[in-house]
């Protein structure tokens, strides 16, 4: 507990707020820098669909009013920040009466479930592989086999997803190609449904796990090798501790800490990459919703999702940062 | 290098691996060289390719389009054999071959056969993922019901990946096949691959320059400048860049390759900044830097003459990593349909392939070739990054030769 000083907590929470503010501001600025007026574009799209619109000028005015596009920019900005703080993300443009907040609330559990599981599995597996690759006592056969698992490291998530769909969904027909569950089943915590969700989630999760595993393995290998020569490792060996104990409590324990930092830094990338995986697999999470928003030019939906993605990753990083001093008692952040 | 050292190296084979000869430069790292060769190969394909192959074939409709002729033998037969359309199918789909053809030969060049199956009951309005919408009910927001569609497919014994007339199959005239819009795939690859590489190089290059400037500033000046730079780069690194890029491109819609690279550069600088700052902080206290400072070298000289050569492997590793990250983000945006629409790039090709259900139609060359090419690029860059890491950190090299 020594590392968790109030100053440190305060600093991390400040970072969290800064990140969210930055993200919200970017989202606020982009539409105003973009060429053309989104509201006018929307009206012209409407008129393209349904012919001439009687009083489009008033319509544009009304919409401007509704979306808070009236007034000088700082008034807009303040009202925008206020609505964002209360998670009032407005109405969806494409499917009007439904609120963006509700649409996102439906999608969030799927994304969180898929991402958390896939990231955890790949983190654990990857670090284990990396540690074994660097460990001198690893059997030669295992050590020569381990690098094979890193083959897919350089392939992006979603491309492996396409390959997996081709092989396992259409070729071998082991797994369904898309969706998150069979709609004939009732949604709930019954056994059948859970099994079906796992069945549907295997391929998307696999495409994330297999491709991101190598990243952790490489980092872990580097750390293990660096630690190998340290005095405390030699002492542990000299004391006659069992190799297993040395491996887990002296090697892995000390090498895994920088990996947690790396995890915090890469969450953003993982979240971004998984949106593509969801799109490929039509997995009903935030990524797929984002894709639908793009296709329907539903700007409020896109902005809402991206804002929530930023909040989500920032929060995850905050949690990791707050956990870090608990995992690593050596580090105190007295001065930040 | 004296003759005696060469002798000892040759006399003891164990030393030769780590020994001291002219080929012992750490830059001659196997992984680095293989990776470099792979990337160069792709780049060369883009440079030399146009000399051997007509790249104008990469334009829409310059090659045979994949519309089946209505008189094709077995076409009517196939339509009749397919299960009755789903209840919500449009009348056009029930109208038989002629209606099929008029509705099927759409702008997207979609394969009318694909529409003849119960498949297309709803895809285009919501614009859902064709992989999903090619099956009934797949287009809903909840992601639909693939399992049901599978059972349907099992009821009618019909292979799920079909290309009965061999649309766009590789021939001598079009060695890598064609896609449904009538583009020659070989030409598309020749045109697209260097573009993808260029996006990555520009974005990573700009990010690198900004990173070097900010990293050195933060590392040298320290104090509040360091704090500001570090805090902002930490915050930016947390933001899922792809998501923000999606917002930007959703508004901008028509992006050129260069603009896309500039957009990507917005998120390419924090990595190098952090790395260089950390390295500068450790290098600053080294003896040779302090020696240089004592002998009156200017800060600029210390930075670029003393520290830079030592940072080079780190910088190069970070650069290749960034290139691959930028290409990944670019292809991601393109695969969502947010790339440059007029110019064929690898990501856009994947997008078109997904949209036109190329997997279902068995046109593996359409989605497979751009992916294969991208995998070569990514693997090459990845190997280069690992190789450069080993060049920068001798301990990693040591473990490899054990």
């Amino acid at each position: 507990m020594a590392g968790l000083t109030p100053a440190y907590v305060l600093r991390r929470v400040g970072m969290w707020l800064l990140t969210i503010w930055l993200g919200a501001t970017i989202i606020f600025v982009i539409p105003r820098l973009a060429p053309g007026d989104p509201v006018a574009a929307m009206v012209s799209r409407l008129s393209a669909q349904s012919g001439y619109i009687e009083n489009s000028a008033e319509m544009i005015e009304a919409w401007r009013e509704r979306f808070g596009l009236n007034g000088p920019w700082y008034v807009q900005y303040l009202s925008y920040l206020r609505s964002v703080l209360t998670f009032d993300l407005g109405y969806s443009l494409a499917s009007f009466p439904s609120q963006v907040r509700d649409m996102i609330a439906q999608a969030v559990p799927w994304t969180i479930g898929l991402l958390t599981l896939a990231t955890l599995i790949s983190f654990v597996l990857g670090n284990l592989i990396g540690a074994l690759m660097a460990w001198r006592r690893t059997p030669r056969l295992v050590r020569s086999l381990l690098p094979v698992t890193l083959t897919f490291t350089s392939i992006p998530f979603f491309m492996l997803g396409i390959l997996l769909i081709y092989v396992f969904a259409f070729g071998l027909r082991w797994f369904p190609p898309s969706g998150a569950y069979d709609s004939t089943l009732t949604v709930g915590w019954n056994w059948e449904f859970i099994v079906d969700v796992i069945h549907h989630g295997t391929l998307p999760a696999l495409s994330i796990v297999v491709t991101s595993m190598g990243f952790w393995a490489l980092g872990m290998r580097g750390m293990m090798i660096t630690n190998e020569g340290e005095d405390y490792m030699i002492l542990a060996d000299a004391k006659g501790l069992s190799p297993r104990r040395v491996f887990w409590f002296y090697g892995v324990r000390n090498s895994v800490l920088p990996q947690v930092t790396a995890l915090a830094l890469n969450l953003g990338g993982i979240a971004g990459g998984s949106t593509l995986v969801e799109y490929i697999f039509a997995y009903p999470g935030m990524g797929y919703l984002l894709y639908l928003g793009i296709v329907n030019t539903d700007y409020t939906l896109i902005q809402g999702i991206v804002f929530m993605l930023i909040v989500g990753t920032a929060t995850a990083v905050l949690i990791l940062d707050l956990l870090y001093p608990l995992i690593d008692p050596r580090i105190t952040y007295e001065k930040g | 290098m004296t003759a005696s050292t060469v002798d000892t190296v040759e006399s003891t084979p164990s030393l030769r691996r780590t020994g001291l000869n002219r080929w012992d430069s750490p830059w001659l790292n196997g992984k680095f060289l293989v990776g470099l060769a792979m990337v160069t190969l792709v780049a060369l394909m883009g440079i030399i390719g146009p000399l051997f192959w007509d790249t104008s074939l990469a334009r829409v409709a310059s090659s045979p389009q994949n519309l089946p002729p209505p008189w094709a033998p077995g076409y009517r037969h196939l339509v009749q054999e397919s299960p009755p359309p789903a209840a919500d199918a449009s009348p056009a789909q029930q109208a038989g071959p002629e209606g099929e053809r008029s509705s099927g030969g759409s702008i997207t060049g979609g394969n009318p056969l694909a529409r003849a199956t119960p498949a297309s009951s709803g895809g285009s309005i919501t614009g859902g993922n064709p992989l999903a919408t090619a099956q009934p009910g797949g287009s809903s927001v909840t992601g639909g019901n693939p399992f049901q569609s599978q059972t349907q497919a099992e009821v009618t014994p019909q292979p799920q990946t079909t290309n009965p007339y061999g649309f766009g199959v590789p021939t001598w005239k079009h060695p890598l096949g064609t896609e449904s819009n009538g583009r020659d795939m070989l030409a598309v690859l020749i045109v697209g691959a260097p573009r993808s590489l260029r996006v990555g190089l520009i974005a990573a290059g700009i990010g690198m320059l900004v990173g070097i400037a900010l990293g050195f500033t933060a590392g040298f000046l320290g104090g509040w400048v360091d704090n500001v730079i570090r805090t902002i780069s930490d915050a930016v690194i947390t933001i899922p860049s792809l998501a923000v890029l999606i917002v930007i491109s959703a508004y901008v819609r028509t992006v050129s390759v260069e603009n896309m690279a500039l957009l990507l550069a917005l998120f390419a600088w924090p990595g190098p900044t952090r790395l260089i700052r950390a390295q500068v902080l450790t290098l600053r206290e080294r003896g040779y830097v302090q020696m240089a400072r004592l002998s009156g070298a200017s800060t600029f000289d210390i930075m670029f003459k003393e520290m830079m050569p030592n940072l080079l492997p780190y910088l190069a590793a970070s650069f290749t990593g960034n290139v691959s990250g930028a290409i990944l983000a670019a292809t991601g945006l393109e695969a969502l349909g947010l790339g440059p629409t007029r110019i064929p790039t690898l990501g856009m090709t994947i997008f078109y392939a997904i949209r036109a259900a190329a997997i279902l139609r068995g046109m593996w060359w359409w989605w497979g070739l751009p992916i294969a090419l991208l995998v070569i690029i990514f693997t090459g860059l990845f190997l280069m990054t690992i190789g450069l890491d080993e060049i920068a950190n001798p301990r990693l090299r040591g473990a490899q030769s054990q």
Side-chain angles (χ1 to χ4, degrees), chain B residues 50-137:
Chain B
L51 304 177
F52 292 96
W53 196 250
D54 182 10
T55 49
S56 66
L57 288 175
R59 292 186 192 144
V60 168
S62 54
S63 309
Q65 297 200 358
N66 300 321
L67 302 176
W71 58 87
Y75 180 59
R76 181 180 294 272
H77 169 72
L78 201 109
V79 169
Q80 281 166 356
E81 208 183 51
S82 71
D88 56 342
S90 63
Q93 280 171 329
Q94 294 167 346
E98 292 305 315
E100 280 299 341
R101 181 160 157 62
S102 58
S103 73
S106 62
I107 310 161
T108 60
N111 184 349
L113 277 181
R115 288 163 192 255
T117 57
S120 49
S121 59
S124 42
I125 301 166
T126 54
N129 183 344
L131 282 183
T133 56
Q135 283 150 19

Side-chain angles (χ1 to χ4, degrees), chain B residues 209 212-213 216 220 298-312 315:
Chain B
L209 287 180
I212 288 176
F216 269 118
F220 256 104
S298 68
T299 314
F300 190 84
D301 271 1
I302 294 177
M303 275 190 200
F304 289 95
K305 287 194 180 148
E306 306 289 334
M307 287 174 136
M308 205 57 146
N310 289 296
L311 282 177
L312 215 54
L315 288 181

Side-chain angles (χ1 to χ4, degrees), chain B residues 343-397:
Chain B
I343 318 154
T345 58
L346 296 181
M348 284 313 279
T349 312
I350 295 175
F351 168 68
Y352 291 137
I354 293 175
R355 193 174 65 174
I359 298 182
L360 275 176
R361 293 158 64 187
M363 299 171 76
W364 53 267
W365 54 91
W366 190 356
W367 55 268
L369 292 176
I371 288 184
L373 210 55
L374 281 168
V375 166
I376 292 177
I377 294 178
F378 283 123
T379 314
L381 288 170
F382 179 67
L383 285 176
M384 281 172 77
T385 313
I386 301 185
L388 287 165
D389 273 341
E390 284 175 6
I391 291 169
N393 185 354
R395 276 185 174 177
L396 291 176
R397 248 180 289 154

Side-chain angles (χ1 to χ4, degrees), chain A residues 11-12 15 18-19 22-23 26-27 30-31 34-35 38 103 106 134 136 140 143 150-151 153-160 162-163 165-166 169-171 173-184 196 199-200 214-215 218 221-223 225-230 261 264-265 267-269 271-273 275-276 278-284 287-297 299-300 302-303 306 309-310 313-314 317 336, chain B residues 31 124-133 135 138-151 153-154 158-161 227 230-253 267 274 324 327-329 331-338 347 350-351 354-355 358-360 362-364 367-368 370-372 374-375 378-380 382-383 386 390 393 395-400 402:
Chain A
R11 192 188 143 73
R12 289 296 128 174
M15 274 301 293
L18 178 75
T19 310
L22 257 183
I26 293 175
I27 296 172
I30 292 165
M103 293 169 84
Q106 261 184 357
R136 272 177 291 114
R140 184 170 287 274
R143 197 194 288 199
L150 307 186
T151 321
T153 303
S154 50
I155 306 179
F157 294 176
F158 73 99
M159 293 187 195
L160 187 72
I162 296 177
L163 292 177
I165 289 180
Y166 185 66
F170 289 130
R173 302 251 207 115
W174 287 353
F175 296 99
S178 62
Y181 56 90
D182 186 346
S183 66
T184 55
D196 192 55
H199 190 217
H200 278 77
F215 176 80
L218 282 175
R221 175 171 162 267
M223 286 310 300
I225 288 170
T226 313
N227 278 351
E228 196 103 297
E230 298 283 343
T261 323
L265 289 180
L267 274 180
T275 55
L276 286 164
E278 287 180 7
Y279 151 62
I280 295 292
F281 284 96
Y283 201 79
Y288 190 58
L289 200 60
L290 187 61
Y291 170 69
L292 291 182
I294 294 169
V295 169
N296 301 327
T297 52
Y299 291 123
T300 47
I302 298 176
Q303 288 177 6
V306 170
L309 277 178
I310 292 172
T313 44
V317 170
Chain B
K31 288 171 192 163
S124 42
I125 301 166
T126 54
N129 183 344
L131 282 183
T133 56
Q135 283 150 19
S139 66
S140 69
V141 183
T142 54
N145 177 5
F147 198 70
Q148 193 188 36
S149 67
Q150 264 213 335
T151 52
E154 278 160 19
Q158 171 193 21
Q160 216 149 7
T161 49
N227 268 333
R230 194 170 44 134
T231 313
I232 294 181
S233 66
D234 276 1
V236 171
I237 234 172
T238 322
I239 295 175
S241 54
L242 190 66
V244 176
L245 290 172
I246 285 172
V247 178
I248 299 178
S249 350
Y251 274 101
V252 180
R253 282 289 169 183
F267 292 94
R274 288 174 57 97
S324 122
I327 296 178
L328 172 61
T331 27
L333 284 178
E334 287 163 3
L336 283 168
L338 293 172
I350 295 175
F351 168 68
I354 293 175
R355 193 174 65 174
I359 298 182
L360 275 176
M363 299 171 76
W364 53 267
W367 55 268
I371 288 184
L374 281 168
V375 166
F378 283 123
T379 314
F382 179 67
L383 285 176
I386 301 185
E390 284 175 6
N393 185 354
R395 276 185 174 177
L396 291 176
R397 248 180 289 154
Q400 195 203 2
Q402 266 177 16

Side-chain angles (χ1 to χ4, degrees), chain B residues 201-222:
Chain B
L201 287 177
I202 296 176
I206 296 174
M208 205 74 221
L209 287 180
V210 177
I212 288 176
L214 289 180
F216 269 118
T217 321
F220 256 104
L221 295 182

Side-chain angles (χ1 to χ4, degrees), chain B residues 35-47:
Chain B
L36 191 65
M38 288 167 82
V39 176
T40 316
L41 201 73
V42 175
L44 275 184
M45 194 188 96
I47 296 167

Side-chain angles (χ1 to χ4, degrees), chain B residues 260-333:
Chain B
M260 195 155 188
L262 288 179
L263 282 181
L264 295 170
L266 281 181
F267 292 94
W269 60 269
T273 304
R274 288 174 57 97
L275 180 103
I276 291 165
R277 178 185 162 274
Q279 286 299 323
V280 166
L281 282 182
T282 60
L283 285 185
R284 199 168 60 168
E285 304 308 321
R286 294 274 172 85
Y288 68 94
V289 174
Q290 291 190 335
M291 199 62 214
R293 197 175 294 144
L294 282 179
S295 58
S298 68
T299 314
F300 190 84
D301 271 1
I302 294 177
M303 275 190 200
F304 289 95
K305 287 194 180 148
E306 306 289 334
M307 287 174 136
M308 205 57 146
N310 289 296
L311 282 177
L312 215 54
Y314 290 99
L315 288 181
S318 164
F319 181 74
T320 48
N322 258 348
V323 171
S324 122
I327 296 178
L328 172 61
T331 27
L333 284 178

